[in-house]
Amino acid sequence: MPSLLAARSQMGVSLAFHIVFAVIGIAMPLMMVVAERRWQVTGHAIYLDLAKRWSRGTAILFAVGAVSGTVLSFELGLLWPGFMRFAGAIIGMPFSLEGFAFFTEAIFLGVYLYGWDRISPRAHLLAGVAVAASGAASGIFVVIANAWMNAPAGFELVNGQAANVHPIAAMATSAAFPQALHMTLAAYAATGFAVAGIHAFLLLKDPGNAFHRRALEIALIVGAPAALLQPISGDLSARHLARHQPAKLAAAEALFSTQRGAPLSLAGWPDVRARKNRFAVEIPRGLSLLASHDPDAEVQGLDAVPVEDWPNVPAVHLSFQLMVALGSYLALVALWAGWLAWRRSDLAHNRWLMRALALATPFGFVAVEAGWMVTELGRQPWVIYGVLRTRDAVTPMPGLIVPFVTFTLLYCFLGVIVVWLLYRQIIRSPTIPEWRGFYMRGGGPR
């Protein structure tokens, strides 16, 4: 395996593994805070049980995420010395701030886990809020660093080297807001629907179980609004790509020729040699409307870019289509659940909705993985778009296949352990019928 392919493969596997824990680390603390607040307001002990269970799950996932994140930080320096030599001084600030947010999250997660009955209820809840806020901030700072790679700013290029560096300007890159918004909403939607799907599956067997009904309620409170807002953030991202990364947008839509009134392609298989997107369903003028809010606007195709600067068009296109399809499914299910809740229907006894939610359990995470493939593969052959090529950033060290295989096996091992630990948390959930599911703080039934 060539060094470049081995390094990219190792980084890809590491990111694909770590991003799951990063996403859960953003959204799960919010769910445990909502559960605890519901317990404080209603006095129902079932919410306290949820908060404690979700906090233990958060701790497990946080620990594994810390391990995989540490590996990633080392990989940046060991696999990509050319990138770090050029960009270290520019993107050091968001990485430093991410480290600060990470340590803040760790400290307050410890307070939250061991602070039950040791600090006041208000202080304990605020510790949970701090965990949720710092977890979201940690993810945002990492996304800002990636956004800079897609739209570099805050420096001048002098003789191939970065000069006159302005770290704040680099963090304020044009890609920062659309990427951070899109990723944060994706984290809440993916985690919320994963938790809702697990409890919906269990409610299909026991629709009267109070524990699963309340867990479903909170999971949808977190996940459904994010899924409904995601198309809006997708619109912002598409318009940014049209202005700043037209080759990525063209690859995502398999648009081979620049044209006005460009159609929006659904599905299809890009035939790069023939310059056609075969078997696609096209919505006339749809891409021009999406990219510029003007159905007659010109959209740049791949023909405007040298062939050697093309990304892997089939991989980017299929990843983009998968992300959009799964995200649309989550948004439709969220709309359905919201409509039923507005009509005060009993969601747990609607078996078709429970089946749809159970089916959606992995969809959010798959959409996140597909979205990151669009982001990373669509930028190729550049590691810093328009500035530094990926092949010029990789280490010259031979034998990279060895760490690639080693770390892949490590991630598989960690993944099995995490699934087993979380499974034990789920199968030990209480089987409390709805009519007995509410207890006051003193222990008596309401």
Side-chain angles (χ1 to χ4, degrees):
M1 180 181 285
S3 294
L4 178 59
L5 179 58
R8 289 184 63 192
S9 299
Q10 181 175 338
M11 199 73 183
V13 170
S14 299
L15 282 168
F17 183 83
H18 177 71
I19 198 172
V20 174
F21 301 97
V23 162
I24 297 174
I26 291 172
M28 186 63 78
L30 178 60
M31 292 172 55
M32 72 183 191
V33 167
V34 172
E36 182 179 3
R37 181 57 182 165
R38 291 289 294 160
W39 168 65
Q40 291 180 353
V41 171
T42 66
H44 298 161
I46 203 163
Y47 289 118
L48 176 61
D49 192 11
L50 272 172
K52 289 186 175 182
R53 287 173 179 271
W54 281 340
S55 66
R56 290 194 294 268
T58 299
I60 294 170
L61 297 167
F62 178 85
V64 178
V67 173
S68 58
T70 302
V71 171
L72 272 171
S73 65
F74 280 108
E75 286 178 346
L76 277 175
L78 295 175
L79 297 178
W80 309 103
F83 169 74
M84 294 306 296
R85 183 166 51 249
F86 183 94
I90 306 173
I91 61 172
M93 180 172 288
F95 278 127
S96 298
L97 292 173
E98 189 277 336
F100 177 79
F102 172 81
F103 284 118
T104 302
E105 182 181 9
I107 291 168
F108 281 101
L109 180 58
V111 173
Y112 192 88
L113 289 171
Y114 299 104
W116 296 102
D117 301 324
R118 291 180 173 86
I119 58 178
S120 69
R122 177 176 294 181
H124 191 269
L125 182 66
L126 289 176
V129 171
V131 174
S134 55
S138 179
I140 289 171
F141 287 129
V142 170
V143 171
I144 287 175
N146 181 266
W148 177 85
M149 296 164 66
N150 290 316
F155 69 100
E156 295 178 10
L157 196 61
V158 179
N159 297 325
Q161 300 296 319
N164 300 323
V165 174
H166 299 282
I168 300 298
M171 290 182 62
T173 172
S174 59
F177 177 73
Q179 273 196 227
L181 177 64
H182 198 61
M183 186 61 212
T184 305
L185 288 175
Y188 291 127
T191 306
F193 270 91
V195 175
I198 291 170
H199 290 284
F201 176 77
L202 296 170
L203 283 169
L204 284 170
K205 302 177 181 179
D206 182 13
N209 187 297
F211 178 84
H212 297 311
R213 289 166 67 94
R214 298 301 164 257
L216 176 72
E217 168 193 304
I218 295 174
L220 287 177
I221 287 173
V222 172
L228 291 172
L229 291 173
Q230 194 65 297
I232 299 174
S233 70
D235 176 70
L236 293 174
S237 297
R239 284 189 285 147
H240 178 270
L241 290 182
R243 290 192 299 270
H244 299 279
Q245 286 185 292
K248 181 186 289 188
L249 180 63
E253 282 295 328
L255 184 70
F256 289 97
S257 59
T258 303
Q259 54 187 291
R260 290 187 175 276
L264 183 69
S265 296
L266 303 179
W269 177 261
D271 187 337
V272 177
R273 184 168 297 181
R275 305 292 195 267
K276 291 182 180 179
N277 188 20
R278 301 189 183 278
F279 316 116
V281 176
E282 294 186 342
I283 300 176
R285 304 176 185 271
L287 184 56
S288 291
L289 185 63
L290 178 67
S292 303
H293 289 184
D294 179 0
D296 297 315
E298 181 178 273
V299 180
Q300 180 177 311
L302 289 166
D303 59 349
V305 181
V307 176
E308 60 269 20
D309 290 344
W310 286 17
N312 186 322
V313 178
V316 175
H317 176 72
L318 295 177
S319 298
F320 181 74
Q321 297 294 318
L322 180 62
M323 177 190 69
V324 171
L326 296 181
S328 299
Y329 179 86
L330 295 184
L332 290 174
V333 174
L335 191 63
W336 183 11
W339 179 68
L340 290 175
W342 180 72
R343 295 185 61 192
R344 299 186 180 278
S345 300
D346 187 349
L347 302 186
H349 282 86
N350 189 315
R351 297 188 65 82
W352 282 109
L353 177 62
M354 294 301 101
R355 292 188 184 103
L357 286 169
L359 180 64
T361 302
F363 283 2
F365 293 120
V366 176
V368 168
E369 299 282 8
W372 271 98
M373 289 183 68
V374 174
T375 299
E376 299 305 298
L377 296 179
R379 190 178 60 245
Q380 300 303 317
W382 305 95
V383 65
I384 304 174
Y385 188 71
V387 176
L388 180 65
R389 291 183 181 272
T390 308
R391 65 168 182 256
D392 297 327
V394 71
T395 177
M397 184 183 75
L400 293 181
I401 183 67
V402 175
F404 168 51
V405 173
T406 302
F407 280 105
T408 300
L409 293 175
L410 172 64
Y411 290 137
C412 292
F413 175 70
L414 287 174
V416 170
I417 291 177
V418 170
V419 170
W420 179 74
L421 289 173
L422 294 180
Y423 176 71
R424 285 175 60 87
Q425 288 284 324
I426 294 170
I427 64 173
R428 289 183 177 181
S429 58
T431 56
I432 305 172
E434 178 68 14
W435 65 274
R436 293 182 60 193
F438 302 111
Y439 293 84
M440 298 300 290
R441 291 184 179 88
R446 181 171 181 174

